[in-house]
Amino acid sequence: MLRYTVRRFGQLILVVAALSVLLFAWLRSLPGGPVSALLGERATPESRAQLQAVLGLDRPVHVQYFQFLGRAASGDFGVSTGVQPGDDALSIFLQRFPATLELSLLAIVLAVAAGIPLGYVAARRRGGWLDNAGVVSSLVGVAVPVFFLAFLLKYVFAVELGMLPTSGRQNAGIDATRVTGFFVLDGLLTREWDASWDALKHLMLPALALSSIPFAVVFRITRAAVLDVLDEDYVRTAYSKGLTDTVIRGRHVLRNAMLPVVTIIGLQTGALLSGAVLTEKVFAFQGVGEALAIGFERRDYPVLQVVIIAAAMVYVLVNLIVDLSYAVIDPRVRT
Amino acid sequence: MALLEVDDLSVVFTRKGEQPVVAVDGVSFDVDPGQTVGLVGESGCGKSVTALAIMGLLPRRGVRVSGSVRFDGTELLGLPAAAMRDRRGRDLGMVFQDPLSSLNPVVPIGLQITEVLERHRRTPRKKAMVQAGDLLTRVGIPDPRRRLDEYPHQLSGGMRQRALIAMALACRPKLLLADEPTTALDVTIQAQILALLAELVRAGDTDLGDTDLGDTALVMITHDLGVVAGLCDEVNVLYGGRVVERGPRHPLFAAPHHPYTVGLLASVPRLDGPRGQRLSPIRGSVSDNIPWTSGCAFAPRCPNVLGACTSVTPEMEFGPDERLLRCHNPVPAPQEVRA
């Protein structure tokens, strides 16, 4: 188990190294660039060349890359040119990361809390109205683009009904103490309940929009897995022992059905970040996704590099946790 | 009074847009307390479905069950689900064919045994674990303390079946249904499991202490006549969802009267037969929809077929040697059939 974990960490380093090369080359092959983004189209060639030299973009790409690596080793990922010009790219990421984590966690919790029970009930009552409604809504969840759903939710619940705020992470009027950068958690830690509640209200709509795809996937996979498990001989054995429905459901059906579901939850966290880019943009939610969106518009290489590499690391780590959790759920993997 | 009275049990599978399939077509048999009764027949004759119907384990949708299953004086068919659940595992136990797929792969063996005791006897987990260890010892699993924490994939095939038997017998049921319990095992293990079952259900002639499992009636479902020959007091031969011949083991094997039973016995390979003798199989195979309504279902495959066999449905009647038979033209003398 330990060897396995160590090997997976080795893989993580390889993934990050390969990704950094690709990313570096790919970003610089995009049309435009930070200079055009900063100076506009009508800048003189002299001022362009000057800015390029200042940013270090006049040197060959491989020289730039090794320079980047050398600085990154000491924690210097460069200075933002577009998102928050002049600020350190890494600290922009660190400052925004809790927001995205908060949003993603709530989205996954919503998706799992709704997807697993509904998937189970749908499988037990296959062909019933709840099953059909679940299947249709999961299809809609996958098919409707996240940004469209985000706009729709914002229009209905924030603009028309005025139940929830339209954008941001917290009302500016609230004087909240910052501890961890997780606004809901900060409020709980400092007993500023109103700050927590306000941050939660700001989270609701983006999290709902973001959870639509993971919910649909978790629901479908749970439903299929439960249908498979219900046909297994050991479930019949459980019934032949006269066990209660509670024991059969938890110990015999769901525990076995969770294996594919856990895998898919891991894979979905990757998809979550691409969803977060759109959702955060729509709700002007100051997270990593929004930084990524603005970073692309303004060709902010340092911020894009930090965010994308960090996202890849999170993705690999989450899937490592998923693989390790297999061993907890399935004894056959342990040996 | 009989412990289990199955009377005119029928099971019909109905699917939308498909012809209903009659799996069991009026099966009747009795089991006395402590008795071992065999249900014998080839694949598709309805023996497993009969067992599942007795246990109430058939799916609710798409299945029509009729007739009567009286257990200990109570009608089981139509019993509320909760009442049936109370009986399963406590009064009625079942052992299945494939021990690996019949055990939950992600739950330790110990817990799969104790959950029965916790459910029906309200035994606390710790005490139940001790009893589960005793049960494993009783079914012949060495080092039971260690096995309790292991998972099914860590056990051998024979041990898995022993564990499954321990689960089925944990609450000392009055009736144990064994559905082809040895089919998935290799031959030496088969013999051990059969010996174990025979020992466990034998009326309490030995002092088994706290784990006394004596006086359990056993319904043995099998296609293997060797299993029946070694174990059963009474034998029911099934064909096409009906019992076609019934009798005590020795007379039935010595002098089978139904042409199907004769065919079954003749198709068993024998070590002491003449060298070079070919096996004599029964021609044809069981058809899906059983035409008992207009004649004998075995008629198309029967060497003794008469004109009446394809027009008049034979009833269960006493034939030669007071044997219960469903046949217009039974095989009379046992001259050419060896015992």
Side-chain angles (χ1 to χ4, degrees), chain A residues 126 233-234 236-237 239-245 247 251-252 255-256 329-332 334-335, chain B residues 55 57 61 85 88-89 96 101-107 111-112 115-116 119-120 125 151 153 167:
Chain A
R126 189 184 190 174
D233 287 348
Y234 54 78
R236 190 181 56 188
T237 308
Y239 277 106
S240 82
K241 295 192 224 173
L243 302 178
T244 56
D245 276 338
V247 172
R251 192 178 292 160
H252 295 283
R255 227 185 131 185
N256 279 287
I329 305 176
D330 191 345
R332 286 165 297 187
R334 255 173 263 171
T335 39
Chain B
M55 290 290 288
L57 288 176
R61 278 200 280 175
R85 206 161 43 215
R88 276 198 297 264
F96 297 95
S101 67
S102 299
L103 290 168
N104 188 334
V106 301
V107 175
L111 183 55
Q112 295 193 52
E115 64 182 3
V116 194
R119 162 75 173 91
H120 295 294
R125 177 74 57 90
Y151 293 87
H153 72 279
M167 283 165 212

Side-chain angles (χ1 to χ4, degrees), chain A residues 160-182:
Chain A
E160 285 294 309
L161 298 174
M163 291 160 67
L164 292 161
T166 53
S167 62
R169 289 185 67 190
Q170 206 165 42
N171 271 343
I174 287 179
D175 178 31
T177 319
R178 299 276 169 257
V179 186
T180 59
F182 298 93

Side-chain angles (χ1 to χ4, degrees), chain A residues 90-106:
Chain A
L90 183 62
S91 49
I92 291 177
F93 169 76
L94 291 177
Q95 172 207 329
R96 283 168 173 262
F97 187 57
T100 300
L101 206 56
E102 210 170 34
L103 177 63
S104 306
L105 279 177
L106 185 59

Side-chain angles (χ1 to χ4, degrees), chain B:
Chain B
M1 194 186 71
L3 176 69
L4 177 75
E5 297 167 274
V6 178
D7 188 25
D8 198 23
L9 178 72
S10 292
V11 180
V12 182
F13 291 95
T14 51
R15 276 221 187 92
K16 263 185 213 161
E18 279 177 45
Q19 281 277 84
V21 175
V22 183
V24 178
D25 188 12
V27 161
S28 307
F29 64 93
D30 292 352
V31 180
D32 290 331
Q35 196 185 24
T36 299
V37 172
L39 296 184
V40 192
E42 61 198 301
S43 308
C45 71
K47 49 197 195 303
S48 292
V49 176
T50 302
L52 292 176
I54 294 168
M55 290 290 288
L57 288 176
L58 289 168
R60 302 239 174 109
R61 278 200 280 175
V63 181
R64 260 200 334 264
V65 183
S66 58
S68 154
V69 176
R70 289 184 77 79
F71 177 80
D72 225 5
T74 314
E75 175 60 50
L76 295 186
L77 297 187
L79 205 66
M84 193 63 210
R85 206 161 43 215
D86 286 343
R87 282 193 168 68
R88 276 198 297 264
R90 188 187 69 194
D91 300 333
L92 299 133
M94 185 153 179
V95 179
F96 297 95
Q97 178 170 345
D98 182 352
L100 181 58
S101 67
S102 299
L103 290 168
N104 188 334
V106 301
V107 175
I109 295 292
L111 183 55
Q112 295 193 52
I113 300 174
T114 56
E115 64 182 3
V116 194
L117 296 163
E118 285 172 50
R119 162 75 173 91
H120 295 294
R121 299 230 165 132
R122 310 236 165 278
T123 315
R125 177 74 57 90
K126 265 194 176 159
K127 207 175 151 213
M129 257 325 158
V130 176
Q131 290 181 15
D134 294 345
L135 275 160
L136 287 185
T137 311
R138 190 67 200 82
V139 297
I141 292 184
D143 200 1
R145 293 279 164 275
R146 181 165 67 96
R147 297 298 179 191
L148 286 175
D149 295 328
E150 291 193 341
Y151 293 87
H153 72 279
Q154 292 168 293
L155 270 58
S156 69
M159 273 202 269
R160 287 181 202 133
Q161 193 57 288
R162 286 171 196 270
L164 211 58
I165 290 170
M167 283 165 212
L169 293 178
C171 291
R172 291 188 224 172
K174 294 175 187 142
L175 177 71
L176 179 67
L177 295 153
D179 185 5
E180 305 260 12
T182 58
T183 308
L185 305 172
D186 62 55
V187 182
T188 47
I189 309 295
Q190 284 189 8
Q192 290 175 13
I193 294 293
L194 288 176
L196 174 69
L197 278 174
E199 186 192 333
L200 291 177
V201 300
R202 198 169 47 210
D205 54 352
T206 46
D207 179 23
L208 302 175
D210 194 37
T211 48
D212 178 7
L213 300 164
D215 236 9
T216 296
L218 174 64
V219 173
M220 185 62 137
I221 293 157
T222 181
H223 65 274
D224 185 347
L225 288 163
V227 169
V228 177
L231 204 64
C232 299
D233 305 318
E234 185 150 280
V235 183
N236 293 279
V237 180
L238 268 74
Y239 187 81
R242 288 192 183 184
V243 177
V244 293
E245 181 162 9
R246 164 181 311 149
R249 166 178 41 161
H250 290 300
L252 187 122
F253 276 78
H257 289 302
H258 196 285
Y260 177 62
T261 318
V262 174
L264 272 184
L265 280 168
S267 58
V268 176
R270 301 186 63 116
L271 284 175
D272 55 352
R275 281 176 73 92
Q277 191 190 37
R278 290 185 163 268
L279 285 177
S280 41
I282 305 173
R283 291 174 297 141
S285 58
V286 187
S287 60
D288 251 3
N289 238 337
I290 305 148
W292 278 111
T293 40
S294 56
C296 173
F298 188 58
R301 306 171 68 187
C302 183
N304 280 20
V305 65
L306 300 176
C309 295
T310 51
S311 54
V312 183
T313 307
E315 292 305 317
M316 203 68 174
E317 285 162 354
F318 285 104
D321 306 334
E322 300 291 289
R323 181 81 44 78
L324 269 166
L325 277 180
R326 189 186 291 279
C327 186
H328 291 308
N329 186 19
V331 178
Q335 268 88 16
E336 60 280 273
V337 182
R338 288 175 309 269

Side-chain angles (χ1 to χ4, degrees), chain A:
Chain A
M1 189 70 131
L2 186 71
R3 261 185 68 182
Y4 178 73
T5 314
V6 169
R7 207 177 66 210
R8 287 294 297 267
F9 270 103
Q11 285 176 358
L12 173 66
I13 292 167
L14 280 179
V15 166
V16 170
L19 179 77
S20 69
V21 176
L22 288 174
L23 180 64
F24 213 79
W26 173 64
L27 281 180
R28 277 152 186 79
S29 69
L30 289 176
V35 174
S36 315
L38 282 170
L39 298 179
E41 285 168 17
R42 270 170 281 177
T44 60
E46 292 78 36
S47 58
R48 294 178 71 97
Q50 203 183 353
L51 187 57
Q52 274 202 318
V54 170
L55 295 176
L57 297 171
D58 52 343
R59 273 166 283 186
V61 175
H62 66 274
V63 175
Q64 290 184 42
Y65 178 70
F66 286 111
Q67 204 170 33
F68 164 77
L69 276 192
R71 288 187 184 152
S74 59
D76 174 13
F77 286 85
V79 173
S80 166
T81 59
V83 180
Q84 291 164 38
D87 286 1
D88 179 55
L90 183 62
S91 49
I92 291 177
F93 169 76
L94 291 177
Q95 172 207 329
R96 283 168 173 262
F97 187 57
T100 300
L101 206 56
E102 210 170 34
L103 177 63
S104 306
L105 279 177
L106 185 59
I108 274 288
V109 166
L110 287 176
V112 167
I116 290 179
L118 277 175
Y120 177 81
V121 176
R124 290 309 295 256
R125 300 182 192 161
R126 189 184 190 174
W129 68 268
L130 203 137
D131 184 23
N132 292 330
V135 170
V136 169
S137 71
S138 74
L139 277 176
V140 171
V142 173
V144 171
V146 174
F147 69 89
F148 177 76
L149 186 65
F151 274 120
L152 193 71
L153 286 172
K154 185 170 163 173
Y155 179 73
V156 173
F157 293 100
V159 178
E160 285 294 309
L161 298 174
M163 291 160 67
L164 292 161
T166 53
S167 62
R169 289 185 67 190
Q170 206 165 42
N171 271 343
I174 287 179
D175 178 31
T177 319
R178 299 276 169 257
V179 186
T180 59
F182 298 93
F183 285 10
V184 178
L185 185 65
D186 283 354
L188 295 177
L189 288 175
T190 57
R191 300 174 172 274
E192 293 166 344
W193 311 122
D194 58 327
S196 255
W197 176 236
D198 186 64
L200 195 63
K201 281 203 292 194
H202 279 81
L203 271 174
M204 279 320 294
L205 289 179
L208 209 57
L210 195 53
S211 71
S212 67
I213 289 176
F215 159 74
V217 174
V218 168
F219 169 81
R220 291 299 286 250
I221 299 288
T222 304
R223 178 178 175 275
V226 169
L227 280 176
D228 274 351
V229 171
L230 285 176
D231 274 342
E232 292 283 352
D233 287 348
Y234 54 78
V235 173
R236 190 181 56 188
T237 308
Y239 277 106
S240 82
K241 295 192 224 173
L243 302 178
T244 56
D245 276 338
T246 319
V247 172
I248 292 179
R249 187 193 313 134
R251 192 178 292 160
H252 295 283
V253 178
L254 276 178
R255 227 185 131 185
N256 279 287
M258 274 311 101
L259 286 166
V261 178
V262 167
T263 313
I264 214 70
I265 291 173
L267 292 172
Q268 280 302 311
T269 50
L272 221 50
L273 199 86
S274 60
V277 173
L278 302 164
T279 315
E280 289 183 4
K281 192 86 171 85
V282 171
F283 289 97
F285 193 86
Q286 295 103 13
V288 173
E290 197 204 30
L292 203 61
I294 300 172
F296 268 113
E297 279 168 21
R298 303 186 187 160
R299 298 288 186 269
D300 189 339
Y301 293 163
V303 168
L304 291 176
Q305 282 159 10
V306 170
V307 168
I308 292 173
I309 288 174
M313 288 172 75
V314 168
Y315 189 66
V316 174
L317 279 176
V318 167
N319 281 288
L320 174 63
I321 293 169
V322 165
D323 286 355
L324 293 179
S325 72
Y326 263 24
V328 178
I329 305 176
D330 191 345
R332 286 165 297 187
V333 182
R334 255 173 263 171
T335 39

